[in-house]
Structures are given as structure tokens and as C-alpha cells.
Amino acid sequence: MKIGIGNDHAALELKRELKDYMESLGHEVTDYGTNTPDSCHYPVYGERVGRAVVSGEVDCGVLLCGTGVGISIAANKVDGVRAAVCSDVTTAHLVKEHNNANIIAMGARIVGGELAKDILRAYLEAEFLGGRHQTRIDMIHEIEARKE
Ligand code: RB5
């Protein structure tokens, strides 16, 4: 799979670890930054990865910040993004099966590297179940269409 990854300064080390991990699983990873430890603004990277996912440049995205929350909120402002913060394996497979999340977000201050890898693998290996779940996703995107 083609996977886009983005992060702020709080998650630089975790990003490097997860990028290597995904490449070891055979995925092609595009890194949208940041790549320095200098304090930066997570909305920049959330938006970059969100747009890359919606345009089809990558198949899905991984976003990382201190909690995973700020960067996922930013990505979710891009129409078509369904970014889900996960800090456990069960949520990680359910956000793909039920919500067809096209971005998974995690917090480097919340999960350690080994747990993050397990979460990521559960997300990447899960499959969307469709059916009634697709109806609900369509309803979510109808909300975007009603935006003023
Ligand atoms: C940066 O200090 C921190 O606010 C950010 O990484 C993230 O946790 C925001 O949601």
C-alpha cells in the first residue's frame, strides 16, 4: 500500500520508528514531515496528509502528534478525511471495519513504540465491512455537503 505519514515535533522519533516498520512490512511510505525536532504547528502536517489521502496520492495516512488529537482534528477539516485517533488494538481494527477510517492517528505521549506498531498493524490489516456502515459514512459526508 502507499501510505502517507505526518507528524509534529512531539512525535518525530515515533514517526521514524513507524516509517521503518511499515517499510519492513512492504509498504511504500511517503513522509510529509516534520523532520526536525523544532517546535512546529501540527495543522500543517494534518492538512498535508489529509489532502494526499483525499486526492489519491496515497491510499491511507498515519498522523502523529503528542496525543494524536490535534493533528487528527486538523486532518478531519479536509472533506473526505475520516481520521481516527487510536490507542488500543481493538479500536484500530474497528475504525477500519466500521468507519473505513482513511487516516489513523496516534499520540507519541500516549502510546509506546511497540504498542503503536501493534495498533498500526491491526489497522492496516483490517478490512471495511460495508453494508450498513457505508450508509452511515455516506451520512457523514452529507454533513460536509451541507457546510456553509
Ligand atoms: C505539542 O506540544 C502538542 O500540543 C501536540 O503535539 C498535540 O498533542 C496536540 O494535540
Side-chain angles (χ1 to χ4, degrees), residues 71-145:
I71 203 160
S72 64
I73 291 174
N76 276 318
K77 297 297 178 189
V78 177
D79 283 0
V81 166
R82 294 179 303 282
V85 184
C86 295
S87 42
D88 65 90
V89 168
T90 305
T91 306
H93 68 79
L94 283 171
V95 300
K96 177 72 76 56
E97 290 164 3
H98 288 200
N99 314 112
N100 203 13
N102 47 16
I103 294 181
I104 184 168
M106 286 182 275
R109 294 173 180 157
I110 308 299
V111 295
E114 291 307 309
L115 177 56
K117 286 181 208 166
D118 288 347
I119 289 169
L120 187 51
R121 189 164 191 163
Y123 167 77
L124 293 173
E125 289 182 354
E127 290 189 12
F128 179 50
L129 296 176
R132 67 185 188 283
H133 303 295
Q134 183 61 54
T135 304
R136 292 159 188 166
I137 289 169
D138 292 343
M139 291 171 72
I140 291 171
H141 292 296
E142 283 164 20
I143 299 170
E144 290 173 345

Side-chain angles (χ1 to χ4, degrees), residues 27-76:
H27 299 293
E28 185 186 323
V29 183
T30 304
D31 186 349
Y32 292 89
T34 187
N35 277 300
T36 77
D38 304 330
S39 181
C40 65
H41 301 305
Y42 58 76
V44 172
Y45 306 98
E47 181 180 8
R48 272 187 202 167
V49 172
R51 293 203 185 284
V53 168
V54 170
S55 70
E57 196 171 298
V58 292
D59 300 313
C60 65
V62 178
L63 286 174
L64 309 165
C65 65
T67 58
V69 173
I71 203 160
S72 64
I73 291 174
N76 276 318

